[in-house]
Amino acid sequence: MKNVRVKSNRVHHIIWVYIFILYCYTAVQDVAGIGTIWDMLSYDGISGGINFIPFQSEGVTTYILNIIMFMPLGFLLPLIWAEYRSFLKTAIVGLFFSLAIEICQLFNLRHTDVDDLLMNTLGAMLGYVIWYLFHKVIKQAGEKAISITKGGPIIYLALGILGIFFLYNWRMFV
C-alpha cells in the first residue's frame, strides 16, 4: 500500500513540476521577454538602458504587474518542494530568478530596472505568504511534496533561462 502512495505522490509531484515549468517559461519568455544570444548578435549594443535608482518607474501599474508576475513562484516553490518552505529561501530564489531575467533583458535592448528586481522579489515573498496562509487553512496543502533531487527548482530555472538564451532562435521559424 505504501508503494502505491509513493507512486501517487510522484505523479502529483510531476504534474506540479510541469505547472511550475510552464509558469517559468511564461514568465521568462512571454512576459519578461528575455534576450537571446541571437538578439545579441543582431544588435549593435547590449543595453536598452539600466536604472539603478529605486522607485523611478512611471505609474503604479508597472509595480503591481511585477509583483503579480512573481507571486506564483513564491507560492509554487514551497507547495512543490518541502526544502523551500522557508521565507528566506523563497525570497532568495525570487531575487536571483528576477536578476537573471533582468540581465538577459540587456541583450534585446530592453530596459533593465532595479524596480523590477525589487518588485519581483516582493512578489515572490508575497506568494510565499499566501502559500503559508493557505497551508495553515488547508493542512494537507503540499503534503505530497517530495524531493527527487536537491535543488530541483534551481536547476529548472537555470536550465530554462540558459536554454532560452542559447538555444531559442525565433528567426528560424519565420
Side-chain angles (χ1 to χ4, degrees):
M1 186 67 176
K2 185 176 179 172
N3 240 0
V4 172
R5 188 176 305 137
V6 168
K7 286 182 182 181
S8 173
N9 288 352
R10 284 191 181 148
V11 169
H12 285 105
H13 180 79
I14 289 169
I15 290 169
W16 279 110
V17 167
Y18 278 121
I19 291 169
F20 178 77
I21 291 170
L22 179 63
Y23 156 74
C24 292
Y25 176 79
T26 304
V28 169
Q29 186 58 34
D30 295 338
V31 178
I34 69 168
T36 68
I37 196 162
W38 307 103
D39 295 326
M40 188 174 79
L41 295 173
S42 66
Y43 298 131
D44 288 334
I46 66 163
S47 177
I50 302 173
N51 175 28
F52 291 113
I53 303 170
F55 307 110
Q56 296 296 313
S57 295
E58 293 182 20
V60 161
T61 306
T62 303
Y63 297 120
I64 292 171
L65 292 176
N66 278 316
I67 290 169
I68 291 171
M69 182 175 83
F70 267 64
M71 286 173 72
L73 179 72
F75 184 85
L76 289 172
L77 280 173
L79 179 72
I80 301 170
W81 292 280
E83 64 264 22
Y84 288 91
R85 293 195 176 151
S86 158
F87 182 79
L88 183 60
K89 279 187 180 180
T90 302
I92 290 171
V93 170
L95 173 73
F96 282 106
F97 185 43
S98 178
L99 183 62
I101 290 172
E102 293 301 315
I103 289 170
C104 288
Q105 283 181 341
L106 291 171
F107 297 105
N108 67 350
L109 302 181
R110 297 230 8 223
H111 192 75
T112 299
D113 196 341
V114 71
D115 290 343
D116 293 347
L117 186 66
L118 294 171
M119 294 303 114
N120 292 343
T121 305
L122 178 61
M125 293 187 300
L126 288 175
Y128 178 87
V129 169
I130 291 170
W131 172 83
Y132 182 80
L133 296 173
F134 182 73
H135 182 66
K136 289 296 180 189
V137 172
I138 301 172
K139 296 287 184 197
Q140 63 266 29
E143 187 176 279
K144 297 180 190 312
I146 60 174
S147 288
I148 295 175
T149 61
K150 284 281 188 194
I154 303 302
I155 293 168
Y156 298 137
L157 292 170
L159 289 179
I161 289 174
L162 291 172
I164 290 172
F165 183 77
F166 286 111
L167 302 175
Y168 184 73
N169 184 3
W170 61 268
R171 289 175 194 85
M172 290 185 340
F173 304 106
V174 178

